[in-house]
Amino acid sequence: MLSMSTNNLSYNDQGGSDSAVEVGQETTPTSSSNAGAGFGLFSTNFKKNDDLKEMLESNKDSLKLDAMKRIIALIAKGKNASELFPAVVKNVASKNIELKKLVYVYLVRYAEEQQDLALLSISTFQRALKDPNQLIRASALRVLSSIRVPIIVPIMMLAIKEAASDMSPYVRKTSAHAIQKLYSLDPDQKEHLIEVIDKLLKDKSTLVAGSVVMAFEEVCPDRIDLIHKNYRKLCNLLVDVEEWGQVVIISMLTRYARTQFTSPWREDGLFDENSETAFYESDEKKTENEDEKKSYMMDPDHRLLLRNTKPLLQSRNTAVVVSVAQLYWHLAPKHEVGVITKSLVRLLRSHREVQYIVLQNIATMSIQRKGMFEPYMKSFYVRSTDATHIKSLKLEILTSLANEANISTILREFQTYVKSQDKEFAAGTIQAIGRCATNISEVTDTCLQGLVLLLSNRDETVVAESVVVIKKLLQTQPTQHSDIIKHMAKLFDNIAVPMARASILWLMGEYCERVPQIAPDVLRKVAKSFTSEEDIVKLQTVNLAAKLYLTNSKQTKLLTQYILNLGKYDQNYDIRDRTRFIRQLIVPNEKSGALGKYARRILLAPKPAPVLESTYKDRDRYQLGTLSHTINTKASGYLELSDWPAVAPDQSVRNVEVIEPVKEWAPSLGKTGKSKLSKSSDDKFYSDSGEEEGSGNSSSDDSSSSEESSSEVESDEEKSSSQSSEESDKSSSQSEKSSSESDSEQKKKTTKKPPQKKTVKPTAKDSDSDENGNVAKEACSSSAEETSSGSDSGSDSGSGSGSDADSHSGTEHKKKTKSKAKPKMEVKSTKEVSLLDLDDFTPTPVTRPKMSVLSPSLLGDLEGLSLSNISSTMQVSGPAFVPEKSHDLLHRMTGKGLSAQYQFPRQPCLYQPSMVSVQISLTNTSDRPLEQIHIGDRSPTGLNMHCFNTIECLLPEASVTVSLGIDFNDSTQAANFQLCTKEDQFSVSIQPAVGELFLPITMTEQDFRQEQGKRLGMNESSATITMAAANTTSQPISRQVATVANLGVVPSGQDNIHRFAGKTASTGAVVLVTVELRGESTALITINTEKSVMGPMLLRDLKRALAQA
Amino acid sequence: MIHSLFLVNSSGDIFLEKHWKSVVSRSVCDYFFEAQERASEPENVPPVIPTPHHYLISVLRHRIYFVAVIQSEVPPLFVIEFLHRVVDTFQDYFGVCTEAAIKDNVVVVYELLEEMLDNGFPLATESNILKELIKPPTILRTVVNTITGSTNVGEQLPTGQLSVVPWRRTGVKYTNNEAYFDVVEEIDAIIDKSGSTITAEIQGVIDACVKLTGMPDLTLSFMNPRLLDDVSFHPCVRFKRWEAERILSFIPPDGNFRLLSYHVSSQNLHPLRSASLVAIPVYVKHNITFREGSSQGRFELTLGPKQTMGKGVEAVLVSSQLPRGVLNTNLNPTQGTYTFDPVTKLLSWDVGKINPQKLPSLKGSMSLQAGASKPDENPTINIQFKIQQSALSGLKVNRLDMYGEKYKPFKGIKYMTKAGKFQVRT
């Protein structure tokens, strides 16, 4: 090799190639040793490139082989070896198979560049095409068709036609591949090639099916008519086709079905989630369709496709699984799509790249149908080892899956992510929180509070992202943000990140009319520090000044002038420019032009709220699983999925002539023909003699095995024998067909509506008005409370140092509450402790009565984000223990298939703090979907209860978990209500154990004693019990108590005294439990509470639990 | 479909290229290199990269990028799955799939790629078929080939390609007939800082090594097939029989193959009883703290077994990516060895076997960059372990029967549990 460069000239002469001399540049020591090392291991001397030609011309095969191997190595490295073409091509007729193969590889690579010389080899291939060995015939055709030399097109055409009727299916398969190659070489041959495709489509070998469909897709994807006759055969062969062919066939059949069958969705539109219905049909048309919905009958061929693809969800090939999934998504009735969920989730364990594609598809699906993936939510939890794009996809999906019921779990998970070291991901999480906040109005405020706290994060990305998201949230919710803005104003002092400071200033300016007293103060503060601010902050300061000047010139005139003066002499020319511009615009003087009049409109124009929505929202326009879907643009060669036809085209086109075996498709309309069909496809699946030992080949109905048998003669014989047995099948199929036709005639068809895309509006507004009519008011009042401390203390908030006054009066306020010593939760006023200083599960302050939106549980969910309350006496904490015990609500026998169980999740109720939350898990054990599950009448009639949203449809075998809130009013009286489906009503009742009516609180031992001191006498009940031996240490006792009642553990200084505290959900009465161990096995249980009924009841339960093991 | 394939090593050199249609210039990879540069970690290179005229779909295995060039619409998973199959085949042939192995066997690689795709469409990907077409290289064969001049390319069309059992060749003969099955379960879990399980699921596989003469027909039944409700099969398994009787009935491929893989998720049973199905076999006690303003951090970690059904936990390896602010660590393991790479900040502790009487622990201090602020997040801890002779899900094979052949095979079954993606958040 090293000496090659000297020989370039001679090569050029002989090779007749003036182009490439690159072999000569093959001089790097590494590559030469690599090329030689592998194959030259046993050769006697290390050869150089210049002898390659000699070697190729020698008589010894081994030498030639060595030469070829080195040439292949050159090709593999991308080096040019084209000048060896003449020498190589001579060996095309070699007897040595390996040598021949390598020559083929070489030929295919260089024939295009050396067309004339390549022609020399053609005759060899022509001869080989007649070889008795099918392998040789096939490989000759492969190479012949791979030589991209236009002049041999007629020869190729001839060879393909011949090979298409070859005895060997392997050769036929090769010819199917050759079709595509010829087509790309010469598109004019299309018509002839279509003939060959048509012929090969009729082929019954599983080996050919995939390849010919591939050719079909490439050459003539629009010739749907060629498929008709082969449709049923393809469906039936599908399971036996090799995996790659399956992918191609499934995607072709998906397109086919969309053109041939009517939509199965109309019928189901009714059961679907509202958003889906809205997506596919506009409302006015829905009523119109009512009649025809009833009459929809799935075409048996449509059903056949769905049934035959379903087993492939179990394939080990991920591409097959996803292609079946997309087929179900695009073709199956909505209530059947659920079968793909589990398989898709399984794929998430696969390689990173597979995960990426699968997650993308799930992201698109989950936007439309949350229900499908919600039970698998935890599979989308992010691991720190995931790649960044996997993380963001998982985040995307989690956000889509969020709903009222699971939002607390999701937010708690997000809380971990926010702290991730991967800042890009943390920023993504903040955006996700923002989206959750807009989508689920219940948590908007909580999320906002949490995000505000993130502003004090150290990381600039996190802060910047939080600011952006808060800004967006505030813009989308222009009614109730003044408290947040005030909050941010307070935080302004503590935040150092310029971007965040600038954004806060922007917010002040934008909404200065809503915080008329604070904004000038902020301006005052920033004016003081103006000179030391970053440029971006200065710019926003100037903006703020201008806006305030326009709205509140009385207070800010001087300030504004001061700032404008500072800006005028700033070092940065941008700031000087801006200052000059603003001054001209807002300060009236004789020079200012007409523009001054519009200053207010220019600066305070309403800005459109940014929309927070998923990037996967519109991906559905591409067929799932395709490249176009992945890159979200139309890839070249993408074939659109057509809309369903309004009227199904003639079904009879798929009927096949007598020679075709039709036995397997025959599902009748009346009966599903299940047993028969499953049996026959059973045979299909085995397709070998394995199932029936011995009978093997002789089984006459096993047409597939005969098709695949390599011996053609034999199969012909069998075919004739199977024909007779199929006659009867065929006749029956015809009768079925006629019946189905008459059916279809009866159907009233209307014109098909194209699916309409309709954006789902953020729900914030609606729920504001209906569910929490008083939300706004409450929020305001809470914010008033929050900030009123300033005015309480008498200082006018317009002047004086706002924050100082705040904190001061805040503590005062706190003292007051403390001295009252009532179990009253206070609103936090000094919220300056950052997220980072908190442990995850430090209990949160409970802001119980004032803000119903900001329910304690949600605060709890964001507690990592939220504020620490330093001196509050009692805080609701998370449950110490959640019993997994669930109780029967409705047995499936009495519920006519609907079974329901309930459980107390012991989470503070999302809907109203006085309610106890109950989780109900509904399962459909019947074999038909149950519709419209909802809650009907309740008793006592005054029962305050938050119902779950009506479940439109619960599929057979499916189950769903919903949460309820019930205000038991601190009694163990059962809540009776009716659980209704569309047809039935079942009376059910939930009886809470007394322990479930509490919420755990944490307090210090000292506070505990103090509280206990107030509840003596008739508020105390106690008993001495003999403890079970196992319960004498602290852990078992805590566990037993926590099992019985939802109480929090109070840290205790003494080993033998265990204390627990809680409050009742409804009235908030404090319940204190003390377990004092006396001696070996006796213990004194004391319960202090003003609820004189609950005390003894709890005592009884505790006695029982502790006495037991 | 697949136009060309480029193999790129971690330093960004193309060391092999193969074209199935007309040649695509390797400059198309520039788009890939661009994306590679932008990615902070090798794993972060997006698998699908659109370029003006082509689409690049890549997989990363064994620190080699396999970059496929696509010209028109094709399901991306089709390509990804195929590329992984290529890697599996290389591994099967050469034992390892490294740059060196590929370069050393470049001709075999080329022959394989030629057989696996025709005009960009997969032709033969079944390892049994490929091995008949192209014999795997062995030292012995290389010697023999050199002496006799024979080749490592098969002369006959593999029977499997045409037979009704495409995954098995005819005329297999063994003197010792044996069938071994390994049930291997990997547990994926996320444990939160308080020690409660956030999510836990089991990914199980049954790998088989079957060396049986002739055309045996096997059935494998389970004591508790109900556990297997989310499975994927090797194509040889008769699906309908499984559906009906929960019995695995199959004609096995010759040699090693993956019979089935299954997934036991926490959702498999009852929605209310989440995460209770999967028992976590180890627990971790940790105390990792950084104090504001101090340049020292505390690190304490103790491992212990729980719910292992009396089986020992072995080959325990703990690794953790410490925050960037950590300069060095000074830790004392009670057993095993620990290393800390100050550049990558990767702490790894090779624990070995957990002795329940004397729990392994790693304690000490971390020195932090002076003046740097306290890290935001405590590091997550990844744990590897093995438990022999136990399948965590409780899956048990009942019996294996063979039909169709007369002889009596040796049968064996082995269970093992491993940690998959097992993470503890701290």
Side-chain angles (χ1 to χ4, degrees), chain B residues 101-289:
Chain B
I102 291 173
K103 278 181 171 168
D104 287 349
N105 296 290
V106 71
V107 173
V108 179
V109 165
Y110 237 66
E111 284 169 341
L112 280 173
L113 291 175
E114 189 71 27
E115 285 304 330
M116 290 179 86
L117 281 184
D118 181 16
N119 196 37
F121 190 79
L123 195 61
T125 49
E126 197 66 53
S127 133
N128 278 295
I129 294 173
L130 282 172
K131 283 197 173 149
E132 283 185 66
L133 286 169
I134 302 150
K135 303 272 180 334
T138 59
I139 297 292
L140 180 69
R141 184 163 298 124
T142 320
V143 177
V144 171
N145 286 355
T146 321
I147 295 165
T148 62
S150 64
T151 67
N152 61 358
V153 172
E155 306 213 356
Q156 285 299 313
L157 181 65
T159 48
Q161 191 76 303
L162 296 176
S163 81
V164 289
V165 197
W167 53 86
R168 189 178 177 91
R169 63 198 164 97
T170 46
V172 184
K173 274 217 161 64
Y174 288 103
T175 43
N176 292 324
N177 288 295
E178 41 195 25
Y180 298 115
F181 294 87
D182 289 356
V183 179
V184 182
E185 297 195 337
E186 290 193 358
I187 172 167
D188 288 357
I190 302 178
I191 314 284
D192 78 2
K193 63 187 301 173
S194 61
S196 55
T197 310
I198 292 182
T199 147
E201 49 193 35
I202 292 171
Q203 190 71 28
V205 294
I206 299 184
D207 282 332
C209 173
V210 176
K211 294 181 173 169
L212 296 175
T213 308
M215 267 291 172
D217 194 335
L218 304 179
T219 57
L220 190 69
S221 63
F222 297 96
M223 308 276 267
N224 39 8
R226 208 175 56 88
L227 278 170
L228 303 174
D229 94 319
D230 185 12
V231 278
S232 69
F233 299 116
H234 189 275
C236 69
V237 176
R238 296 177 178 114
F239 182 67
K240 292 286 173 187
R241 184 99 186 262
W242 169 257
E243 287 279 270
E245 304 169 51
R246 297 275 141 177
I247 284 175
L248 289 178
S249 159
F250 55 97
I251 294 176
D254 188 34
N256 294 312
F257 65 102
R258 175 154 296 174
L259 180 62
L260 103 158
S261 45
Y262 58 93
H263 181 228
V264 183
S265 70
S266 44
Q267 284 91 357
N268 270 13
L269 284 182
H270 202 273
L272 285 183
R273 246 161 275 149
S274 57
S276 60
L277 177 65
V278 179
I280 306 291
V282 294
Y283 71 88
V284 180
K285 271 196 213 153
H286 50 80
N287 181 12
I288 302 173
T289 48

Side-chain angles (χ1 to χ4, degrees), chain A residues 811-823:
Chain A
T811 43
E812 208 175 78
H813 184 60
K814 221 177 284 167
K815 272 179 212 149
K816 240 185 274 170
T817 26
K818 217 176 180 178
S819 64
K820 273 184 213 159
K822 274 227 160 187

